[in-house]
């Protein structure tokens, strides 16, 4: 018998599968359609072990689905724009396109080596002009719908990457760039945004999708819906100048004794008095260096500075001083608040520090007075308005309704819903991204590029500066253009789009990659084949990391809703089911990083053990949704398991005697059918570690029964079933064994084995005996044991007799029916 040589057979089968077109996608092929998608990689240069952990189990799940008769679509591509390529270009003095495509070529080879059934004939690369012209087309659709707009606003800016960041891309308590970990700064720039807030309410509805509770909770909290009242306040002595505040407690409005603007609020510079301007500007500068976490920390003492300006109370007409304080954020709510120190903890601390009045305007409906020097009374339910003019005596929620209605009648405000979610800032001051298709004309303003002129191409001769400044700003061929509207000299927008734009619609592009490739876009053209997309959406199964919960996964949902409203997409919920895998840790149980020296290079282990062993070990390492530490000793155990499978599936030297034990054959058949049932259930629920444990148990049974059954029909069926069950996890080994035993069509074209329900029933169950609710003993018993025998069996167990010493049995309760697994003995 030949020895198992994974390196030789894996490369041989990869080449043969390509020649056969085994994984060529047929959208009209037989079987129920099933779109299975795993998140596509960024072409960083090498597949790391995290890529393997995300993709290999996903591939196994897709293969299992295919074996169950589905026409599975399992595409792959590359999310190819991004800062690393541009940083590499600066460092190496090459174009980012060159670096990116070199990496893609290498990673294609590594992905093929993995043995995944990717449909390479539907690959997309997002930096291809025939891809990003459609990203530009989508932007123009959004521009027509009023979803894409320009806004001069404060932004988070990374000085190292030399670009703005979306709020979701700023991480950590000290506000660092998620890409390079540099501390970000606040800058006020002219930016392009997408109006995702228009869909905030719909994004809170998860009824059409089956997503993990964790992701739904994270998105719900990020969107941050709150019901309240928004109204405007007039600034005294500044005709026509008003500012808005939002509150969830309009019933406390009569307790407003001051207002607070964020340091970045645009009105600060207009209303501050000359004498206080230096102090206000100094405070603004100090606040700009603080992180959001620092500014919002409950433990930090609240401070601020007066502007010298006053707002007019909408009900009393009193002059209310306007302050600037950094505990108010410009991008949350309206960037301004009404301060009610008697009924808000932060306002109370601020008022106490600066000696501002704090009249009580609500109290418990029972009339109990607030304790002297105690915490502000903030309860809603059961609160009653006092010292509030005509509204005194109103109890929540009527108090909320009546005050809101009065403000609405005065035409200064009314009830509204507020969201924490902010519009998506997509402008990036870098070159390696999708150019924003807008022309800036001195006469006409912003003019969209004509659809037929797309794509606005990135220049191949761009020269990069060490500062990181976008070369588009100095590239004369790119920059200068005539205005499409008036024909006068104009300039192109030099900002490019956030790379999350590309990944927000790639699942549609896969179905008809590079639509209209090399051709101009016509007025009725769409970015995908509408009939194919209509037939194949939604994505039935999506897999990827939980770290994308409030970035990519939120944007995908927003894009689908907006594109459906544009009339070009049939589904508002493009991803039906989502699964988030865990993270592979280093052998030291820490997150892998070069600085820790615990990074695992999968190529090294593929070279030593083969791709199938690496795949199987990653699936055996622990529950897929939890991840676990890489154990360099553990992979050896999986390698020995696969070697055992090889030896079991192929006959040894000489012709083995035919097994002639009916009892052994029956036992083997039962174990095989029980394993088929369990392994199938585990594939469906992504329990790859337990299904492999089940196959290892079957391996042990087959080794023990080999002499008595080898050569018999029971043995042949066991080997066949084993190979089929293992095929999704170890595609190369399974193909080799299948062809050696039954030459012909690929093992990956076979159907999943069917188990006999009678044979799959377990012959034994575990009887658990409890005394007064505590487990004392266990024993395996025949599955068909009558209920009447359970009591005697339980009472005869040694540890149960020991526990009952000196006590009287009062009651014995078998839980369940025939073959119950639990008997509870009540004694005293």
């Amino acid at each position: 018998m030949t020895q198992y040589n994974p390196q030789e057979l894996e490369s041989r089968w990869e080449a043969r599968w390509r020649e056969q077109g085994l994984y060529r996608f047929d959208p009209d092929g037989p079987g129920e359609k099933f779109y299975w998608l795993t998140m596509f990689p960024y072409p960083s240069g090498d597949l790391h072990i995290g890529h393997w952990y995300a993709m290999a189990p996903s591939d196994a799940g897709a293969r299992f689905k295919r074996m169950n008769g589905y026409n599975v679509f399992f595409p792959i591509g590359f999310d190819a724009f991004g800062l690393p390529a541009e940083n590499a270009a600066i460092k190496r003095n090459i174009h980012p396109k060159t670096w990116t495509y070199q990496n893609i070529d290498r990673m294609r080879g590594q992905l093929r080596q993995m043995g995944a059934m990717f449909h390479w004939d539907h690959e997309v690369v997002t930096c291809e002009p025939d891809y990003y012209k459609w990203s530009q087309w989508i932007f123009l659709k959004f521009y027509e719908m009023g979803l894409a707009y320009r806004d001069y606003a404060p932004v988070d800016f990374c000085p190292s990457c030399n670009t703005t960041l979306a709020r979701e891309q700023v991480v950590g308590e000290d506000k660092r760039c998620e890409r390079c970990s540099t501390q970000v700064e606040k800058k006020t720039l002219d930016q392009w945004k997408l109006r995702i807030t228009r869909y905030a309410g719909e994004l809170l509805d998860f009824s059409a999708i089956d997503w993990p509770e964790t992701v739904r909770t994270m998105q719900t909290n990020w969107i941050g819906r709150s019901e309240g009242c928004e109204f405007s306040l007039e600034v005294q002595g500044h005709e026509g100048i008003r500012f808005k505040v939002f509150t969830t407690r309009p019933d406390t409005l009569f307790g407003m004794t001051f207002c607070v603007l964020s340091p970045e609020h645009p009105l600060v510079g207009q209303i501050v008095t000359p004498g206080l301007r230096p102090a206000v500007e100094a405070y603004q500068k100090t606040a700009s260096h603080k992180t959001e976490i620092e500014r919002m920390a409950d433990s930090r003492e609240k401070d601020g500075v007066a502007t010298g300006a006053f707002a007019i109370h909408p009900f009393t007409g009193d002059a209310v001083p306007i302050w600037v304080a950094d505990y108010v954020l410009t991008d949350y709510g309206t960037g301004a608040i009404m301060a009610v120190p008697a009924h808000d903890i932060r306002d109370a601390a601020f008022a106490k520090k600066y000696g501002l009045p704090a009249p009580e305007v609500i109290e418990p409906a029972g009339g109990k007075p607030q304790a002297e020097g105690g915490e502000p009374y903030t309860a809603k339910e059961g609160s009653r308005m006092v010292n509030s003019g005509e509204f005194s005596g109103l109890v929540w929620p009527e108090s909320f309704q009546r005050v809101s209605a009065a403000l609405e009648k005065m035409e200064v405000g009314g009830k509204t819903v507020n969201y924490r979610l902010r519009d998506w800032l997509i402008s990036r001051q870098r070159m390696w991204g999708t150019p924003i298709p807008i022309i800036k004309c001195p006469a006409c303003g912003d003019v969209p590029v004509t659809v037929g002129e797309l794509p606005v191409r990135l220049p191949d001769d761009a020269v990069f500066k060490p500062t990181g400044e976008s070369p588009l700003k100095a590239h004369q061929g790119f920059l200068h253009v005539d205005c499409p509207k008036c024909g006068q000299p104009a300039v192109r927008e030099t900002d490019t789009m956030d790379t999350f734009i590309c990944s927000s619609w790639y699942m549609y592009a896969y179905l008809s990659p590079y639509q209209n490739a090399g051709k101009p876009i016509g007025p009725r053209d769409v970015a995908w084949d509408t009939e194919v997309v209509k037939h194949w959406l939604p994505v039935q199964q999506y897999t990827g990391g939980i770290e994308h919960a409030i970035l990519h996964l939120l944007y995908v949902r927003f894009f689908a809703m907006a594109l459906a409203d544009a009339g070009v997409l049939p589904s508002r919920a493009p991803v039906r089911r989502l699964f988030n895998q865990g993270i592979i840790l280093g052998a030291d149980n820490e997150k892998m990083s070069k600085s820790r020296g615990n990074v695992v290079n999968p190529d090294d282990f593929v070279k030593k053990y083969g791709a199938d062993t690496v795949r199987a070990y990653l699936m055996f390492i622990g529950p897929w949704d939890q991840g676990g530490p890489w154990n360099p000793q553990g992979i050896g155990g999986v390698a020995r398991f696969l070697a055992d499978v090889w030896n079991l599936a192929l006959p040894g030297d000489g012709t083995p005697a035919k097994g002639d034990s009916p009892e052994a054959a029956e036992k083997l058949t039962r174990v095989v059918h029980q394993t088929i049932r369990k392994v199938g259930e585990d594939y469906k629920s992504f329990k790859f570690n337990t299904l492999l444990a089940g196959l290892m148990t079957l391996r042990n049974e087959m080794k023990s029964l080999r002499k008595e059954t080898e050569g018999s029909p029971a043995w042949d069926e066991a080997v066949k079933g084993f190979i089929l069950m293992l095929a999704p996890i170890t595609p190369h080994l399974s193909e080799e064994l299948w062809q050696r035993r039954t030459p012909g069509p690929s093992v990956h074209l076979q159907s999943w084995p069917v188990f006999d329900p009678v044979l799959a029933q377990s012959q034994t169950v575990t009887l658990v005996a409890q005394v007064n609710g505590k487990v004392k003993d266990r024993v395996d018993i025949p599955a068909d044991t009558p209920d009447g025998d359970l009591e005697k069996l339980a009472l005869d167990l040694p540890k149960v007799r020991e526990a009952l010493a000196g006590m009287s049995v009062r009651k014995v309760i078998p839980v369940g029916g025939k073959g119950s697994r639990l008997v509870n003995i009540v004694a005293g």
Side-chain angles (χ1 to χ4, degrees):
M1 180 178 67
T2 57
Q3 287 190 330
Y4 175 38
N5 183 350
Q7 290 78 10
E8 183 277 328
L9 70 87
E10 287 177 358
S11 60
R12 172 162 46 83
W13 280 115
E14 286 296 329
R16 191 170 301 178
W17 290 335
R18 283 197 296 274
E19 292 172 7
Q20 296 172 347
L22 182 64
Y23 301 127
R24 184 168 294 278
F25 176 54
D26 180 3
D28 301 315
E32 183 180 346
K33 64 181 179 61
F34 198 98
Y35 191 165
W36 190 297
L37 182 64
T38 191
M39 294 180 185
F40 62 173
Y42 176 78
S44 56
D46 282 292
L47 284 189
H48 54 69
I49 203 68
H51 289 122
W52 276 74
Y53 191 63
M55 294 179 181
S58 191
D59 174 61
R63 287 178 177 278
F64 172 74
K65 210 72 184 175
R66 180 177 178 174
M67 292 180 75
N68 279 274
Y70 289 86
N71 184 15
V72 178
F73 181 45
F74 188 51
I76 190 63
F78 294 93
D79 191 10
F81 277 135
L83 289 172
E86 197 159 333
N87 292 338
I90 295 170
K91 183 178 180 180
R92 296 172 173 80
N93 195 30
I94 59 174
H95 197 283
K97 180 178 179 180
T98 304
W99 184 84
T100 298
Y101 278 94
Q102 287 174 349
N103 291 347
I104 288 174
D105 285 343
R106 175 169 173 75
M107 291 177 71
R108 280 187 184 127
Q110 291 174 316
L111 285 167
R112 291 186 186 280
Q113 186 181 49
M114 185 188 292
M117 56 169 264
F118 292 129
H119 290 119
W120 285 102
D121 50 325
H122 280 249
E123 178 197 64
V124 296
V125 178
T126 62
C127 66
E128 278 288 327
D130 278 325
Y131 184 93
Y132 68 72
K133 76 177 182 183
W134 291 110
S135 293
Q136 294 171 342
W137 176 83
I138 290 171
F139 175 91
L140 293 179
K141 283 288 181 186
F142 289 173
Y143 186 79
E144 292 171 8
M145 298 165 67
L147 293 176
Y149 67 99
R150 193 192 294 274
D151 184 29
Y152 195 72
V155 296
D156 290 312
F157 187 88
C158 175
S160 175
C161 297
N162 202 27
T163 188
T164 58
L165 303 173
R167 188 157 61 107
E168 298 89 337
Q169 293 168 310
V170 180
V171 298
E173 293 187 0
D174 54 351
K175 295 188 72 176
R176 293 186 178 273
C177 171
E178 69 161 358
R179 290 283 191 184
C180 69
S181 298
T182 301
Q183 193 165 28
V184 305
E185 301 172 350
K186 280 288 184 184
K187 280 192 175 185
T188 303
L189 298 172
D190 202 14
Q191 304 290 295
W192 283 96
K193 295 181 178 180
L194 295 184
R195 212 178 299 275
I196 190 175
T197 51
R198 184 181 292 181
Y199 294 88
E202 187 176 357
L203 287 167
L204 288 170
D205 180 5
F206 301 93
S207 60
I209 55 180
D210 180 12
W211 285 23
E213 178 65 29
T214 305
V215 175
R216 288 184 281 133
T217 299
M218 291 173 71
Q219 291 196 0
T220 297
N221 292 339
W222 186 257
I223 295 166
R225 185 182 189 275
S226 56
E227 296 183 7
C229 180
E230 185 177 278
F231 60 94
S232 64
L233 292 167
E234 182 182 350
V235 180
Q236 189 179 62
H238 293 267
E239 186 176 354
I241 294 182
R242 308 179 72 96
F243 62 94
K244 292 181 178 180
V245 297
F246 172 83
T247 179
T248 59
R249 299 300 304 273
D251 57 322
T252 66
L253 182 51
F254 282 82
M256 176 179 67
T257 58
F258 62 101
C259 300
V260 181
L261 304 182
S262 70
E264 302 84 7
H265 198 289
L267 281 187
V268 173
Q270 298 181 46
I271 65 174
V272 64
T273 58
L276 293 175
R277 185 175 295 276
V280 169
E281 290 178 347
Y283 185 85
Q284 288 176 307
K285 184 175 181 180
T286 301
S288 69
H289 294 295
K290 293 180 181 179
T291 69
E292 184 175 314
I293 299 295
E294 289 174 333
R295 288 170 61 167
M296 297 298 289
D298 292 333
S299 59
R300 188 181 72 88
E301 184 180 25
K302 306 297 181 287
D303 62 15
V305 60
T307 65
F310 294 83
I312 299 174
H313 195 291
F315 288 129
T316 67
D318 293 342
V320 180
I322 302 173
W323 288 66
V324 172
D326 61 12
Y327 74 90
V328 177
L329 303 177
T330 191
D331 59 352
Y332 188 78
T334 63
I337 65 165
M338 68 171 210
V340 183
H343 305 293
D344 182 272
I345 294 175
R346 294 182 309 166
D347 297 346
F350 191 92
K352 184 177 181 180
K353 179 172 182 175
Y354 294 105
L356 299 169
E360 294 177 18
V361 294
I362 57 170
E363 66 179 15
K368 297 178 182 179
Q370 186 174 333
E372 186 70 25
E375 290 289 318
Y377 176 68
T378 60
K380 287 182 180 179
E381 299 301 325
S383 65
R384 179 177 61 193
M385 294 180 69
V386 296
N387 304 319
S388 300
E390 64 181 285
F391 301 99
S392 295
L394 293 176
V395 177
W396 184 275
E398 184 185 4
S399 55
F400 174 93
Q401 303 293 345
R402 291 278 294 275
V403 175
S404 299
L407 291 168
E408 188 171 355
K409 187 175 181 180
M410 296 166 64
E411 298 184 348
V412 296
K415 288 190 295 183
T416 189
V417 174
N418 192 42
Y419 295 94
R420 180 178 182 269
L421 181 69
R422 289 290 161 262
D423 282 339
W424 176 9
L425 189 153
I426 66 165
S427 282
R428 298 293 179 270
Q429 289 73 48
R430 301 301 291 255
M431 189 202 96
W432 195 236
T434 299
I436 295 176
I438 293 291
I439 293 170
K440 296 188 280 190
C441 174
C444 306
D446 290 336
V447 181
V449 173
T450 305
V451 168
E453 297 297 317
L454 298 179
V456 176
R457 288 177 175 267
L458 293 169
D460 288 333
D461 57 349
V463 178
F464 288 83
K465 299 178 181 179
T467 60
E469 185 177 13
S470 173
L472 297 180
K473 295 181 178 180
H475 193 285
Q476 300 303 306
F478 177 88
L479 188 64
H480 295 288
V481 65
D482 292 338
C483 172
K485 187 177 289 186
C486 70
Q488 297 301 308
V491 294
R492 292 192 187 279
E493 171 62 72
T494 57
D495 283 358
T496 55
M497 300 184 206
D498 183 0
T499 55
F500 280 107
I501 294 288
C502 302
S503 59
S504 294
W505 69 278
Y506 78 114
M507 60 279 301
Y508 320 133
Y510 275 144
L511 288 163
S512 47
Y514 307 132
Q515 183 83 338
N516 270 13
K519 300 177 183 177
I521 299 176
R524 296 184 179 179
D525 288 341
V526 178
W528 40 79
D529 185 315
T530 54
E531 289 303 312
V532 173
V533 166
K534 183 178 179 180
H535 178 69
W536 276 88
L537 285 184
V539 174
Q540 299 284 5
Q541 181 64 64
Y542 197 22
T543 64
I546 188 69
E547 66 272 16
H548 298 290
I550 56 172
L551 285 167
H552 165 64
L553 291 171
L554 188 66
Y555 296 155
V556 163
R557 297 179 63 217
F558 159 58
F559 256 53
M561 294 169 187
L563 290 168
D565 286 343
V568 296
L569 194 69
S571 175
R572 302 184 77 83
V575 176
R576 179 68 51 78
R577 187 180 182 215
L578 173 70
F579 185 92
N580 298 123
Q581 79 272 354
I583 298 174
I584 284 292
L585 304 174
D588 55 1
N589 217 32
E590 297 287 343
K591 188 173 181 179
M592 289 187 188
S593 69
K594 291 181 180 179
S595 61
R596 289 195 180 101
N598 63 353
V599 174
V600 173
N601 182 355
D603 287 0
D604 295 340
F605 289 91
V606 171
K607 185 176 181 180
K608 182 177 181 179
Y609 294 105
D612 281 350
T613 301
V614 176
R615 286 170 60 107
Y617 175 61
L618 286 170
M619 291 183 235
F620 187 60
I621 209 167
W624 193 32
D625 62 342
Q626 296 177 29
W630 177 273
N631 181 350
Q633 283 74 46
I635 193 172
V638 172
R640 289 190 292 274
F641 163 64
L642 297 185
D644 280 349
V645 174
W646 176 273
N647 293 329
L648 285 170
L650 300 179
D653 296 332
T655 303
K658 186 173 182 179
D660 57 359
S661 171
E663 294 81 7
E666 181 184 356
K667 181 180 180 181
L668 179 59
T669 299
R670 284 189 175 277
V671 173
V672 169
H673 282 261
Q674 290 164 7
T675 306
I676 292 171
R677 182 181 66 179
K678 182 185 185 306
V679 167
E681 292 170 351
D682 285 348
Y683 267 120
K684 292 175 184 176
S685 55
F686 303 128
K687 295 179 180 177
F688 299 108
N689 59 323
T690 59
L691 79 82
L692 276 165
L695 289 174
M696 290 176 182
T697 300
L698 176 59
R699 177 269 316 261
N700 294 339
E701 292 286 353
M702 291 179 68
K703 288 176 74 172
S704 68
L705 297 170
R706 183 170 191 169
K707 287 184 179 179
E708 301 171 273
T709 60
E710 187 171 16
S712 70
W715 177 263
D716 291 342
E717 285 301 310
V719 172
K720 176 182 176 183
F722 202 121
I723 295 172
L724 290 171
M725 286 186 280
L726 194 59
I729 292 177
T730 60
H732 311 91
L733 170 63
S734 301
E735 184 74 283
E736 181 74 12
L737 295 177
W738 186 263
Q739 295 300 332
R740 287 191 179 215
R741 293 183 64 88
T742 55
S746 170
V747 68
H748 303 300
L749 297 178
Q750 308 304 314
S751 297
W752 183 254
V754 179
F755 66 85
D756 184 321
V758 175
L759 293 173
Q761 285 182 350
S762 177
Q763 292 183 293
T764 63
V765 294
T766 301
L767 172 64
V768 179
Q770 295 180 340
V771 176
N772 294 331
K774 294 183 178 179
V775 175
K776 295 299 179 182
D777 212 342
R778 293 179 173 84
V779 65
D780 288 338
I781 62 174
D784 57 356
T785 301
D787 283 353
D789 294 348
L790 296 179
E791 178 177 341
K792 183 178 185 305
L793 287 168
L795 291 171
D796 284 344
L797 292 172
K799 292 182 180 178
V800 171
R801 289 201 305 268
E802 182 182 334
L804 290 174
M807 292 193 291
S808 299
V809 176
R810 296 176 179 174
K811 196 173 185 180
V812 178
I813 309 168
V815 180
K818 186 177 182 180
S820 172
R821 294 173 180 266
L822 176 64
V823 172
N824 188 27
I825 302 165
V826 181

